[in-house]
Amino acid sequence: MLWEETHADTRRICKLVANITQAGNNLSTPALHGRCSTTIKMIPVTEFRQFSEQQPAFRVLKPWWDVFTDYLSVVMLMIGVFGCTLQVMQGKIICLPRVQPIHNVSAYNGSNSNMPLTTPKPITPGTVEMKGLKTDLDLQQYSFINQMCYERALHWYAKYFPYLVLIHTLIFMLCSNFWFKFPGSSSKIEHFISILGKCFDSPWTTRALCKVSGEEPEEKDNRKNNLNKPNIIQSTLESPLVKTQSLKSIPEKFIVDKAAAGALDKKEGEQAKALFEKVKKFRIHVEEGDLLYVMYVRQTILKVLKFLFIIGYNSALVSEVRFTVECNVDIQDMTGYNHFSCNHTMAHLFSKLSFCYLCFVGVYGLTCLYTLYWLFYRSLKEYSFEYVRLETGINDIPDVKNDFAFMFHMIDQYDPLYSKRFAVFLSEASENKLKQLNLNNEWTAEKLRQRLITNASNRLELQLFMLSGLPDTIFEITELQSLKLEIINNVMIPATIAQLDNLQELSLCQCSAKIHSAALAFLKENLKILRVKFDDIRELPPWMYGLRNLEELYLIGSLSPDVSKNITLDSFRELKSLKHLFIKSNLSKIPQGAVDVSAHLQKLCIHNDGSKLVMLNNLKKMVNLTELELIHCDLDHIHHSIFSLLALEELNLKENNLKSIQEIVSFQHLRKLTILKLWYNSITHIPVEIKKLTSLERLYFSHNKIEVLPSQLFLCHKLRYLDLSYNDIRFIPPEIGVMQSLQYFSISCNKVESVPDELYFCKKLITLKIGKNNLCSLSPKIGNLVYLSYLDIKGNHFETLPAELGDCRALKKNGLIVEDILFETLPFDIREQMKSE
């Protein structure tokens, strides 16, 4: 990768700087040596690598201008690092007092602050007099003067120039690679690069291009060989299907065995199919927005503004880097002088470096301006594959938009061949050809047997998803009991299905299926369960109405508003054995077809996806119903027709709009009703008449808005299962203790502040959920629940747990849902008892 080469250069430069630094350290004082070593540890160049480094595969999205500016950034980074190193290694400034020449002692007076304060010492005979101006300042005073003048007199630009270069360069590097690091964009880029590499390297890409365009790989290879005979070996390596005549002059080691080629073809087909699916999903995801384009434009604009700012203030201040600096500071009390002449030791080098830096920044900025021109001159949010369509003959390659288009424009700056090879996986014709070629040899009977699973109905099931057709090998698996076909267009069920003697269940998910007459006769006698999932009512197979031995029918699909009001299903009269009818759609009324089988229908389930089910009068005719589910039907009250179903044993009114259930008193006529599910509604209170439902064994009131529990609720003495979770209940009546059959009780996620001791009289409790309430203590009487195996008390305000939990012999650690710190409050022996299996 280009950046890897860049960092190699960076490391070499850093090594050179380190060598120079080491040499300087060897010559410096111990204090300076320590300071340099500390600085080098503080600013290692290798630490900057994270700001500009990205994955090697990202190089395909870096056009030449980004690569060029990356190199410029590295050079500017070296200037900054080199300047910072010199700044701390060398003496920053050297100052001397400015003193007038002294001709006689009488010239001294208090008005001249630049005269020395001490009286010249007499010259001792026999000593050699030193020439030059004497100041009588010691080393500490000189260091103090140098530091003061550095801070007061030296221009800030001259002091901080290398640090400014370093900071600006890091900002440039961050801006250049930010879209590779930002989570929202980097995830798209990584996914795209991954798919792009697989599409480019896939041997099937070239083969598919040849197949779709009508040119066989053998012909293409032979044509290449005739045009470029010296490259015949390379052509052979690229295509294993060249003719035998072309291989006579090739060494034996380069010839590909045909059997191996066939196996490779199968593997290539499997990989290509997966790529087609990835490309489809990725295209849908990326074409929704233009995040990548916007981020790239913004980071480019930011670099241009940064460039203008740097050029502006550096051009104005570069002249402030001077070799000689006049320093006037009021330190006469400490040194005897106020005026000094200073030498900035790094001024000459910094001046040259600043001009060099400005040149690099200028080139960097001009490159960024060209990038902006490229971004706005062309429409980068649209990309046409017209040239690919003309060159390959694949006419159904679609044009793309938004971020998908922008990435293709960026790739074209690297190598247009990537876009051409990627386009193959956008073509539906290419995909269909691939499917057709691989279907028959891909799905062998052995492979299909490996896909057999046991479904929820305890039947041996085979599921096929998004195939181009039905492999003939399916009908060799005679033990098959359930066949599930998903998103397979134009399915034709042949007469050979009669070989599947054990087939009882068939599922068609978004499949338009046709059937052979002999196959229909077989299904009429053997099929027990049919599941049809459709997007359009016209996908319902017309032959399903004649399956006389069918026992369960599942219809799942959404209807348009007009169709849902006037839905017309053919008569179910021929379905003489139908007992279970499940419809998940958006109906406005119960279809007439359901009424046709009311005499023997036992279970009716309607899941209406939030659409209001208005007409329910037909329910009165279904007198043999034992289970009724009206889920998400937008019911605002319990319809009176339900009270006519005297054989009803289970009623589920989940996810409706029930607010009041005063009609519940009418349920007393349904003597066989044992399960009532009124969960996920907006019920605010429970009528006292619920006490009349004495046959109830399971009652679901969770996810409502109940605030008060009537004591009459606990007169339903047969209740074994009571769910009151996710409400606004604050108080549990003590009458709960009379429910001696209760095995499951949940009141979690409420506002309960205390649990009555009477609850622990329900000695048959197996599951107790009281978590996420406002409880402060757990009664020691919980030890009465000897059958308790699941206890949820997490999310309360307990400080300790009662030791009586150890009396619940069936309760183990995995069945106790509580905070770990609270569990530790139990005695050691009880904790060990619960942890043991």
Side-chain angles (χ1 to χ4, degrees):
M1 176 188 172
L2 186 55
W3 264 108
E4 291 177 343
E5 299 173 0
T6 304
H7 288 309
D9 297 338
T10 304
R11 288 191 291 271
R12 287 194 292 269
I13 295 173
C14 294
K15 185 177 181 181
L16 178 59
V17 173
N19 292 334
I20 296 173
T21 303
Q22 184 63 36
N25 289 340
N26 294 335
L27 297 176
S28 61
T29 63
L32 183 59
H33 176 82
R35 181 173 54 179
C36 296
S37 301
T38 303
T39 306
I40 293 170
K41 292 178 182 178
M42 290 172 58
I43 317 176
V45 178
T46 54
E47 294 296 329
F48 301 135
R49 180 170 54 188
Q50 59 180 317
F51 295 105
S52 60
E53 190 177 54
Q54 62 275 344
Q55 296 182 10
F58 285 3
R59 67 184 184 274
V60 297
L61 290 178
K62 294 185 72 69
W64 67 265
W65 51 81
D66 280 349
V67 176
F68 183 59
T69 54
D70 286 343
Y71 275 113
L72 290 176
S73 297
V74 172
V75 175
M76 291 187 288
L77 183 66
M78 291 299 99
I79 292 175
V81 173
F82 184 63
C84 291
T85 305
L86 292 178
Q87 185 86 332
V88 298
M89 283 179 57
Q90 304 297 331
K92 299 177 181 178
I93 195 169
I94 301 174
C95 298
L96 291 175
R98 285 194 292 118
V99 182
Q100 299 294 333
I102 303 174
H103 299 287
N104 53 65
V105 177
S106 62
Y108 292 98
N109 56 69
S111 61
N112 191 346
S113 62
N114 288 329
M115 297 301 177
L117 296 178
T118 59
T119 303
K121 298 179 181 179
I123 300 174
T124 305
T127 61
V128 179
E129 182 180 1
M130 301 299 294
K131 303 297 183 179
L133 184 61
K134 298 180 180 179
T135 59
D136 291 333
L137 297 176
D138 58 19
L139 182 60
Q140 286 80 6
Q141 288 174 313
Y142 275 117
S143 297
F144 178 73
I145 293 169
N146 292 344
Q147 188 63 30
M148 290 296 294
C149 289
Y150 180 81
E151 297 295 337
R152 302 283 183 85
L154 193 63
H155 194 273
W156 65 267
Y157 181 78
K159 290 190 290 187
Y160 302 119
F161 163 73
Y163 304 107
L164 294 174
V165 173
L166 198 61
I167 292 173
H168 293 321
T169 305
L170 291 178
I171 294 176
F172 275 138
M173 298 171 82
L174 284 171
C175 291
S176 297
N177 299 282
F178 183 72
W179 72 318
F180 291 129
K181 302 294 185 181
F182 183 69
S185 57
S186 64
S187 60
K188 292 182 180 180
I189 293 174
E190 290 175 5
H191 197 181
F192 176 73
I193 295 299
S194 174
I195 296 176
L196 179 69
K198 293 177 182 178
C199 293
F200 187 86
D201 296 333
S202 174
W204 178 257
T205 306
T206 303
R207 192 165 304 174
L209 280 170
C210 298
K211 291 286 184 181
V212 177
S213 60
E215 182 180 13
E216 294 297 324
E218 297 89 343
E219 298 176 2
K220 186 173 182 179
D221 288 332
N222 288 336
R223 179 167 52 83
K224 286 184 179 180
N225 293 337
N226 292 332
L227 293 175
N228 192 7
K229 291 183 180 179
N231 294 330
I232 186 170
I233 295 180
Q234 180 66 26
S235 302
T236 306
L237 292 174
E238 292 178 354
S239 176
L241 301 178
V242 293
K243 294 183 178 180
T244 306
Q245 294 86 341
S246 302
L247 299 176
K248 291 181 179 179
S249 60
I250 304 177
E252 184 178 355
K253 63 180 180 179
F254 291 110
I255 300 178
V256 180
D257 183 72
K258 288 188 176 182
L264 183 62
D265 289 346
K266 184 177 180 180
K267 182 178 180 180
E268 293 168 6
E270 294 173 354
Q271 295 173 347
K273 284 198 300 183
L275 278 177
F276 273 110
E277 295 306 316
K278 289 182 179 179
V279 169
K280 286 180 181 179
K281 295 178 180 179
F282 181 74
R283 179 188 173 192
I284 294 173
H285 174 62
V286 176
E287 282 191 324
E288 293 177 351
D290 57 354
L291 175 64
L292 297 179
Y293 174 77
V294 171
M295 288 193 64
Y296 192 82
V297 170
R298 288 179 178 176
Q299 71 183 33
T300 305
I301 292 175
L302 183 59
K303 288 192 291 184
V304 171
L305 295 177
K306 187 71 177 174
F307 149 71
L308 296 175
F309 173 70
I310 294 173
I311 292 294
Y313 88 85
N314 275 270
S315 300
L317 299 177
V318 70
S319 60
E320 298 295 337
V321 183
R322 301 185 182 127
F323 184 75
T324 303
V325 180
E326 296 298 328
C327 176
N328 300 310
V329 291
D330 187 14
I331 56 175
Q332 184 174 358
D333 295 339
M334 302 183 66
T335 63
Y337 300 93
N338 286 340
H339 306 290
F340 306 91
S341 180
C342 301
N343 168 234
H344 184 201
T345 57
M346 293 291 102
H348 181 73
L349 180 58
F350 280 6
S351 177
K352 301 302 181 185
L353 287 177
S354 62
F355 283 110
C356 182
Y357 172 67
L358 285 177
C359 293
F360 284 121
V361 171
V363 176
Y364 191 102
L366 292 176
T367 307
C368 293
L369 289 173
Y370 173 80
T371 305
L372 278 183
Y373 167 77
W374 181 79
L375 287 171
F376 295 114
Y377 176 75
R378 302 178 61 182
S379 178
L380 300 182
K381 296 172 71 172
E382 296 178 356
Y383 187 89
S384 174
F385 287 98
E386 183 63 28
Y387 78 98
V388 181
R389 292 192 287 263
L390 293 176
E391 183 177 346
T392 63
I394 306 176
N395 297 321
D396 66 333
I397 300 176
D399 296 336
V400 295
K401 60 183 180 179
N402 289 335
D403 280 346
F404 208 23
F406 177 66
M407 286 190 287
F408 279 116
H409 282 293
M410 297 291 282
I411 286 175
D412 284 347
Q413 298 297 319
Y414 182 82
D415 189 350
L417 184 59
Y418 278 91
S419 300
K420 178 181 177 182
R421 295 181 72 88
F422 192 97
V424 172
F425 291 88
L426 295 172
S427 168
E428 186 176 353
S430 173
E431 182 180 10
N432 291 336
K433 190 68 176 178
L434 174 66
K435 294 175 182 178
Q436 187 62 35
L437 291 175
N438 286 279
L439 181 64
N440 294 330
N441 62 356
E442 178 182 3
W443 298 100
T444 63
E446 292 76 13
K447 182 177 180 179
L448 291 175
R449 282 191 172 90
Q450 294 176 359
R451 297 173 62 91
L452 292 176
I453 61 173
T454 302
N455 61 13
S457 303
N458 201 28
R459 292 185 173 90
L460 202 60
E461 181 177 272
L462 173 63
Q463 179 178 354
L464 298 179
F465 179 72
M466 292 189 70
L467 300 184
S468 58
L470 286 180
D472 294 334
T473 50
I474 291 179
F475 310 111
E476 299 176 13
I477 309 176
T478 55
E479 66 271 22
L480 188 64
Q481 296 175 308
S482 174
L483 178 60
K484 186 175 184 179
L485 308 177
E486 293 189 56
I487 316 179
I488 302 179
N489 296 325
N490 302 318
V491 176
M492 180 63 186
I493 302 177
T496 50
I497 196 175
Q499 300 175 14
L500 305 178
D501 298 330
N502 298 311
L503 185 66
Q504 297 180 351
E505 183 175 345
L506 177 63
S507 300
L508 302 175
C509 301
Q510 298 176 357
C511 298
S512 54
K514 299 180 181 179
I515 190 168
H516 192 275
S517 57
L520 178 59
F522 169 78
L523 294 181
K524 285 182 178 180
E525 298 296 330
N526 293 273
L527 198 62
K528 303 296 182 183
I529 302 175
L530 176 63
R531 306 175 191 269
V532 181
K533 185 177 181 180
F534 57 91
D535 289 331
D536 191 326
I537 195 170
R538 290 173 293 184
E539 294 180 5
L540 291 176
W543 45 266
M544 73 175 187
Y545 301 103
L547 303 175
R548 55 177 174 265
N549 287 329
L550 193 67
E551 296 180 359
E552 299 181 17
L553 177 60
Y554 298 80
L555 303 178
I556 304 172
S558 298
L559 304 172
S560 63
D562 295 336
V563 176
S564 64
K565 293 179 181 179
N566 304 299
I567 182 173
T568 55
L569 296 175
D570 290 349
S571 176
F572 290 164
R573 289 190 178 92
E574 295 297 323
L575 307 181
K576 303 294 185 181
S577 303
L578 190 64
K579 298 179 181 179
H580 181 182
L581 177 60
F582 178 92
I583 301 177
K584 183 178 181 181
S585 187
N586 52 336
L587 306 174
S588 60
K589 61 180 181 179
I590 297 178
Q592 181 61 36
V595 181
D596 295 338
V597 292
S598 59
H600 45 81
L601 191 64
Q602 297 179 3
K603 183 176 181 178
L604 174 63
C605 303
I606 298 180
H607 195 303
N608 221 34
D609 286 337
S611 298
K612 191 172 184 63
L613 191 62
V614 180
M615 302 179 63
L616 296 173
N617 293 328
N618 287 339
L619 285 176
K620 295 181 179 180
K621 302 177 181 179
M622 304 180 185
V623 293
N624 293 319
L625 273 184
T626 58
E627 296 183 33
L628 175 62
E629 295 184 1
L630 301 176
I631 300 174
H632 213 183
C633 297
D634 196 25
L635 301 177
D636 53 11
H637 66 282
I638 303 175
H639 199 271
H640 63 85
S641 58
I642 298 177
F643 306 131
S644 303
L645 307 177
L646 300 181
L648 197 63
E649 298 177 2
E650 179 178 344
L651 175 62
N652 188 352
L653 299 178
K654 182 181 178 181
E655 293 181 320
N656 282 285
N657 194 27
L658 299 177
K659 296 180 180 179
S660 174
I661 52 172
Q662 294 298 330
E663 306 90 347
I664 201 171
V665 65
S666 300
F667 281 134
Q668 62 181 318
H669 304 298
L670 307 181
R671 302 296 183 183
K672 297 182 179 181
L673 185 65
T674 58
I675 302 176
L676 179 59
K677 299 180 179 181
L678 299 174
W679 46 355
Y680 294 90
N681 282 282
S682 301
I683 301 171
T684 56
H685 71 281
I686 302 175
V688 296
E689 289 81 6
I690 196 168
K691 65 181 180 180
K692 298 182 180 180
L693 308 184
T694 55
S695 61
L696 281 182
E697 296 180 5
R698 301 173 70 92
L699 182 59
Y700 298 74
F701 270 121
S702 64
H703 295 84
N704 280 283
K705 300 178 181 179
I706 302 171
E707 297 182 0
V708 178
L709 292 179
S711 58
Q712 291 81 358
L713 169 65
F714 306 109
L715 297 179
C716 301
H717 59 275
K718 290 185 179 180
L719 273 180
R720 294 183 290 105
Y721 186 106
L722 179 58
D723 189 355
L724 299 169
S725 58
Y726 294 92
N727 282 283
D728 297 321
I729 302 170
R730 296 178 180 273
F731 176 73
I732 303 176
E735 287 80 3
I736 192 174
V738 303
M739 304 182 70
Q740 295 301 307
S741 300
L742 193 63
Q743 298 178 6
Y744 179 102
F745 179 63
S746 175
I747 197 167
S748 57
C749 300
N750 279 275
K751 301 176 182 178
V752 178
E753 298 180 355
S754 63
V755 175
D757 289 342
E758 288 78 5
L759 173 63
Y760 307 112
F761 296 163
C762 306
K763 296 185 178 181
K764 292 184 179 180
L765 267 178
I766 298 176
T767 300
L768 176 59
K769 297 182 179 180
I770 55 176
K772 296 182 180 180
N773 280 285
N774 298 325
L775 301 175
C776 296
S777 63
L778 187 62
S779 173
K781 293 185 178 181
I782 195 170
N784 297 337
L785 307 179
V786 294
Y787 298 107
L788 190 67
S789 61
Y790 187 92
L791 175 62
D792 181 5
I793 55 176
K794 191 174 183 179
N796 286 286
H797 308 297
F798 298 138
E799 296 182 358
T800 60
L801 294 179
E804 285 77 7
L805 274 176
D807 296 333
C808 303
R809 298 297 180 180
L811 184 63
K812 301 299 180 182
K813 178 63 173 66
N814 57 0
L816 177 59
I817 311 301
V818 68
E819 293 84 354
D820 292 339
I821 190 172
L822 199 56
F823 180 74
E824 296 299 325
T825 62
L826 287 171
F828 177 79
D829 57 336
I830 296 178
R831 296 201 305 268
E832 292 300 316
Q833 171 189 321
M834 289 186 175
K835 291 179 181 179
S836 63
E837 295 296 334

